[in-house]
Amino acid sequence: MPEYLPINIPPGFRRHGVEMESAGRWRDGNLVRWEEGSVRPVGGWATLKRETAGEIVDVVVPGAEIPRGAHSWISNGGAKYLAVATTSFLYAAGVDLILGDITPVGFTAGSVGENLGYGGKKYGRSVYGTERTSDGIAAPKAVWSLDNWGEFLMACTSGDRTLYVWDLITALAEEIVAAPPLTGFVITAERFVMALGADNNPRKIAWCDREDYNVWTPAAINEAGDIELVTNGTLQAGCRVRGRT
C-alpha cells in the first residue's frame, strides 16, 4: 500500500527575494483563489445585466470614460447598491442597476494616467535613434478609494484629495469639510476613517474620532489622531481584513 504524506501549503502567494526564500509557499499563479485552504479556479466572468421594459440589457456606464473603481453594499433596510467611479464622475445605482450621477459639487477630475514624457510613447514608434520632442511630463493615474460607512458610501480620489459621503438620500455626494486632504482612505471595523497621505504628506495617516467622521482634531475627549510613518516610501492603499486593518 502506498503511503501518503500530507502537504500543507499556507494560502496566498509569497514572492520575496529568490525562489528558495519562498520554500513551502505558493510563489506564483493566475486567476486562482483559496477556499477552505485549497487553491481553486477563480471562476468565470459575466456581464452585469438589468431588466428594462421586459428586456435584459447590459449595464453600461454613461459617457465614454472607463470605470476606475466599483463598490457594492447593502443598506440597513436590505436594499442593494452599486457605486461606479470614472476619472471625472461618480455614479450609483440601486437594485434596478440604473446608474445615476452623484458626482459631488466642486469635484476635480483626475488624470487618466497620461505619460507624455520620456518612455511615454508606444514601443517602436518613429525611427530608432531619433530624438523625440518633449511634449509633456508623466502624470500618474487618479486612483479611487470606495467604501461604505454603515449604509453610507464614502469616496475620494488621489487627484481630487477630498473625502465625500453619500447618504443614499441626497442627490449628490457631499464633502466632509472636517476631513484633511488625502490620497486615499480605509474604514476600520471599529468605525475609524483612516486618511492616507493626510495633509499633503505622503507618509501621514490621520483618523477621525470613533463613529464621527466630522471630528479629526485630536483632543482629550475624542479618539482622533495621526501618525507619520518612518519610511522612504509613500502610502498607496489600505485594506480592512478580518480582525485587523
Side-chain angles (χ1 to χ4, degrees), residues 17-118:
V18 298
E19 291 186 10
M20 291 304 297
E21 292 186 61
S22 301
R25 298 292 301 269
W26 298 99
R27 179 171 172 82
D28 200 3
N30 185 37
L31 297 179
V32 295
R33 61 190 175 91
W34 278 264
E35 184 176 343
E36 297 181 355
S38 299
V39 63
R40 309 282 181 86
V42 74
W45 298 88
T47 303
L48 187 63
K49 297 179 180 292
R50 61 181 172 85
E51 183 176 352
T52 301
E55 181 182 0
I56 305 299
V57 297
D58 295 344
V59 175
V60 180
V61 177
E65 292 191 356
I66 298 173
R68 298 295 185 185
H71 178 69
S72 62
W73 75 102
I74 299 176
S75 71
N76 294 339
K80 297 179 180 179
Y81 286 89
L82 171 69
V84 178
T86 69
T87 303
S88 307
F89 298 95
L90 179 61
Y91 301 100
V95 68
D96 57 5
L97 291 179
I98 298 176
L99 291 168
D101 187 354
I102 62 167
T103 307
V105 175
F107 172 76
T108 301
S111 168
V112 296
E114 296 175 317
N115 182 357
L116 304 178
Y118 176 78

Side-chain angles (χ1 to χ4, degrees), residues 76-170:
N76 294 339
K80 297 179 180 179
Y81 286 89
L82 171 69
V84 178
T86 69
T87 303
S88 307
F89 298 95
L90 179 61
Y91 301 100
V95 68
D96 57 5
L97 291 179
I98 298 176
L99 291 168
D101 187 354
I102 62 167
T103 307
V105 175
F107 172 76
T108 301
S111 168
V112 296
E114 296 175 317
N115 182 357
L116 304 178
Y118 176 78
K121 302 295 185 181
K122 291 184 177 180
Y123 181 79
R125 288 278 300 272
S126 192
V127 180
Y128 179 79
T130 302
E131 184 179 358
R132 310 299 196 267
T133 58
S134 177
D135 51 5
I137 60 174
K141 182 189 302 181
V143 178
W144 278 90
S145 292
L146 300 167
D147 205 346
N148 53 287
W149 172 279
E151 66 176 0
F152 295 177
L153 172 70
M154 280 192 173
C156 82
T157 70
S158 55
D160 182 66
R161 302 182 66 84
T162 303
L163 184 61
Y164 299 98
V165 60
W166 184 56
D167 62 8
L168 312 187
I169 299 174
T170 52

